[in-house]
Structure formats: structure tokens, C-alpha cells
Amino acid sequence: MRNLSAVIAFGLSAFAAGNAPAQDFLDRVDEALTFTTLSGNVRARVSGTLDLEAYYFSGPAPGLILTTSDALFNPRLSVFVDAQLGPAVYVFTQTRVDRGFDPSDHGAQLRLDEYAVRITPWQDGRFSLQVGQFSTVVGKWVVRHLSWENPFINAPLPYENVTAIEDKSAPYYSYLSVALRRKNTNTIP
């Protein structure tokens, strides 16, 4: 037991010591991907993610994965650019390099998924105008953007199967109407 605690303590100290250079490296990369003019009026930051997905199938691939083989490697690179042009203009882009929304064994494609320009003319932020193609804030389910934000492979059930909700009339259930008629015969007007 004493040897086990010594091994754990040694492992934790080695991990803590090894983590500092890695964090310094990541900080240097972050600084290298941030651009600022001398006056500071124009700032831009480039960031991104690299998702590596691997699939293996014992039978045919499921319907949403488009491949004829029994294994699929599906990398996805997402690059984000945020730029502030003076105090009033903000620009955002999200670019992807992948094999499409659904995993497939087709070639890679480059696409601009989201982009926006936001203009805020007054410093207090009382009015902003945003134009572009970007995620909706309210109103409908948005398809998967980043793997850690939305783990659904496709839309939730109510969005995949259209369900009507109407106020014109209630559905007719024969067993319910028989029970209601019996109940109404016992009431005194």
C-alpha cells in the first residue's frame, strides 16, 4: 500500500511538472493567432478545433453514415475568425473542412458555415444590426455545429416527425365518448 501511494504521488507530481510547458506552448500559440494593430482599433483572433471521428461497423453502415466499407475515418477542421474593427463593427466567420454534415467516405469539402457582421453605432449598445448567415437565437432546432455542444447525430424526434397540434377539434376516441355519455346520464339538470 505504501508503494502504491508513493507511485501515485510521483505520478501526480510528474503530471503537474509536465503540464506547465504544455500550457506555455498553448499560450504562445494563442498569442500567435491574435492580431492587433498598434493603435488597437483593429483586433482579430483565429481559433479552431480538429475533431477526429472513427467508426467501425460489424454489418452495413447505419443510414446516416454514407460508406460501403466496414470502417470510416472522418476528420473535421473548424476554423473561427473573430475581428473587431473599431468600437462599432464586429465580424465573425466559421469555416469547415470536412466530408459533409453526415459522415461519408467522399472527398473533403471547404465551406463557410456561418458569417456575420454586427454594427453597433452607439457606445451604450442601445441598437445593433447584425447581417449574415448564423445560428438562430430562438425558433427552431439548429443542426449540429460543434461536437461537444450538440451530441445528436440528427434532429430530435419532434423535428424529424412532423406532429400537428391543432385547435380546430379534439380527436375522436370512441371509448372516451362512451364513458362520457354514461357519466352524463347520472347528472340532474
Side-chain angles (χ1 to χ4, degrees), residues 7 10 20-21 31 36-37 47-48 52-54 57 68 72 87 102 104-106 109 112 122 124 129 133 156 169:
V7 168
F10 177 75
E31 290 172 7
T36 305
T37 61
S47 61
L52 303 174
E53 298 174 351
F57 318 105
T68 55
L72 176 66
D102 294 324
S104 69
D105 54 6
H106 298 47
Q109 51 184 256
L112 187 61
W122 293 282
D124 61 1
L129 176 67
Q133 175 181 325
S169 64

Side-chain angles (χ1 to χ4, degrees), residues 20-35 44-49 80:
Q23 188 62 42
D24 290 340
F25 171 74
L26 292 175
D27 288 340
R28 285 193 307 270
V29 169
D30 185 44
E31 290 172 7
L33 295 175
T34 303
F35 308 99
R45 181 168 188 243
V46 178
S47 61
T49 61
F80 309 101

Side-chain angles (χ1 to χ4, degrees), residues 2 5 17 26 33 70 77 83 87 104 106 121 138 147 153 173 178-179:
R2 185 174 188 174
S5 60
L26 292 175
L33 295 175
D70 60 349
L77 175 66
S104 69
H106 298 47
V138 295
S147 57
I153 293 175
Y173 296 105
V178 170

Side-chain angles (χ1 to χ4, degrees), residues 1-23:
M1 186 69 175
R2 185 174 188 174
N3 288 340
L4 179 62
S5 60
V7 168
I8 291 173
F10 177 75
L12 288 175
S13 63
F15 176 74
N19 195 18
Q23 188 62 42

